[in-house]
Amino acid sequence: MKKAIFLIMTVMVILAACGSGKDTKETSNKDDKKLVVGTEGTYSPFSFHDKNDKLTGYDIDVTKAVAKEIGYKVEFKETQWDSMFAGLDSGRFDMIANQVGINDERKAKYKFSDPYTYSKGVLVVNENNKDIKSFDDVKGKKLAQTLTSNYGQLAKSKGADITKVDGFNQAMDLLQSKRVEGTFNDNVSYLDYKKQKPNAKIKAIEGNAEQSKSAFTFNKKQDDKVIKDFNKGLKTLKDNGELEKISKKWFGANVSEPK
């Protein structure tokens, strides 16, 4: 009797183990089609909460559109910018969608998708300003800049008199109240501001600022197939005009293609 009970229990354990292995495999396959995505949730118009507290923005829309195109599920996890890459390094999420600029330092540590945003620096001045016509005309002029940014360094290199600000909106407030004469910043930020405030009496002067590219960012350990899938989805959305449509929704212009 004891031998029979032992035999039955042994068979049950084996069957349970086989069933467990099958479940694990199926779960793994499902997980392969899901990405946990790190984003700020406080970075308008790219990743922020609308008046109904729903996570939205250009980066959110693009991520969802690509995921839908390639049959992936996404789960967004919000985190501060300062801890964004630490979260990617630790495996807290699989990908960052937060306007991460591609540069050599990051390329050494992370993998990138193809770019989905192209931007470049512009000089924003009041629309009736006749004295500043190019980047080189700001010598001795008062510009509102964040000191540690590339645009702050650009202003310094051009000999501008710097007024320190914490961000683009503060710079715009100083500019429109005529306490400064301009600010160097990203053309995407300028386009968003003009879309939100179309009556703002400002204009953007283009110069020889280097074009920057933003892309989805992955851990170096990420399977290349996932990145290839995302690139395939991005290409499809570019080819069928969906990416341009999303871009114009948020900026009134197509920032998804280089100019």
Side-chain angles (χ1 to χ4, degrees):
M1 184 68 177
K2 289 183 178 179
K3 288 183 178 180
I5 293 173
F6 177 78
L7 182 59
I8 291 170
M9 290 180 65
T10 302
V11 171
M12 290 176 65
V13 169
I14 292 172
L15 289 173
C18 291
S20 175
K22 183 179 179 182
D23 291 345
T24 301
K25 185 177 180 181
E26 287 178 356
T27 302
S28 176
N29 286 340
K30 289 179 182 178
D31 289 344
D32 287 344
K33 284 289 188 176
K34 176 183 176 181
L35 286 178
V36 179
V37 180
T39 193
E40 274 185 275
T42 56
Y43 184 27
S44 176
F46 304 104
S47 168
F48 68 104
H49 286 257
D50 63 17
K51 61 183 180 181
N52 296 317
D53 202 31
K54 179 183 177 182
L55 182 65
T56 188
Y58 174 68
D59 283 49
I60 305 303
D61 280 359
V62 174
T63 303
K64 287 181 176 179
V66 174
K68 181 179 179 181
E69 179 65 33
I70 61 178
Y72 276 65
K73 292 182 179 180
V74 293
E75 175 189 348
F76 292 100
K77 280 193 176 181
E78 297 175 45
T79 189
Q80 294 180 340
W81 172 256
D82 291 343
S83 58
M84 190 79 65
F85 289 96
L88 188 62
D89 293 339
S90 67
R92 184 181 170 213
F93 31 76
D94 307 302
M95 184 186 92
I96 295 175
N98 206 84
Q99 285 298 299
V100 179
I102 303 172
N103 58 36
D104 290 339
E105 182 180 354
R106 288 173 181 160
K107 283 167 69 175
K109 295 182 65 178
Y110 303 100
K111 294 179 180 180
F112 288 93
S113 71
D114 293 335
Y116 62 99
T117 311
Y118 294 83
S119 61
K120 58 183 177 180
V122 294
L123 174 60
V124 185
V125 298
N126 283 309
E127 66 177 14
N128 58 355
N129 190 311
K130 305 296 184 185
D131 297 328
I132 301 176
K133 298 178 181 178
S134 73
F135 283 13
D136 294 324
D137 292 335
V138 300
K139 185 175 182 180
K141 305 292 186 182
K142 189 174 287 188
L143 301 189
Q145 306 290 161
T146 51
L147 297 182
T148 58
S149 70
N150 291 339
Y151 298 115
Q153 297 302 315
L154 175 60
K156 285 181 181 178
S157 72
K158 297 294 185 180
D161 178 12
I162 307 297
T163 297
K164 180 182 178 299
V165 294
D166 294 324
F168 184 72
N169 286 336
Q170 187 182 358
M172 288 296 98
D173 291 341
L174 293 178
L175 175 61
Q176 293 190 83
S177 63
K178 297 186 178 180
R179 285 180 282 174
V180 299
E181 294 179 79
T183 181
F184 282 111
N185 216 286
D186 192 283
N187 76 303
V188 175
S189 297
Y190 168 76
L191 289 170
D192 172 57
Y193 190 87
K194 281 292 286 184
K195 189 172 185 298
Q196 300 300 324
K197 300 183 179 181
N199 295 323
K201 298 186 181 304
I202 55 176
K203 63 183 177 182
I205 298 170
E206 295 187 357
N208 58 352
E210 183 178 352
Q211 187 174 64
S212 62
K213 305 172 186 178
S214 297
F216 296 115
T217 312
F218 300 85
N219 190 293
K220 276 284 190 183
K221 297 178 181 178
Q222 181 60 260
D223 187 349
D224 285 338
K225 182 183 181 303
V226 176
I227 302 172
K228 288 179 181 178
D229 286 347
F230 255 73
N231 285 338
K232 183 178 178 181
L234 273 172
K235 185 179 186 306
T236 299
L237 296 181
K238 285 183 179 181
D239 291 345
N240 66 19
E242 183 64 22
L243 200 56
E244 180 177 0
K245 182 179 177 181
I246 295 172
S247 179
K248 288 184 175 179
K249 168 187 171 181
W250 289 103
F251 306 107
N254 186 10
V255 301
S256 67
E257 295 282 355
K259 289 185 178 182

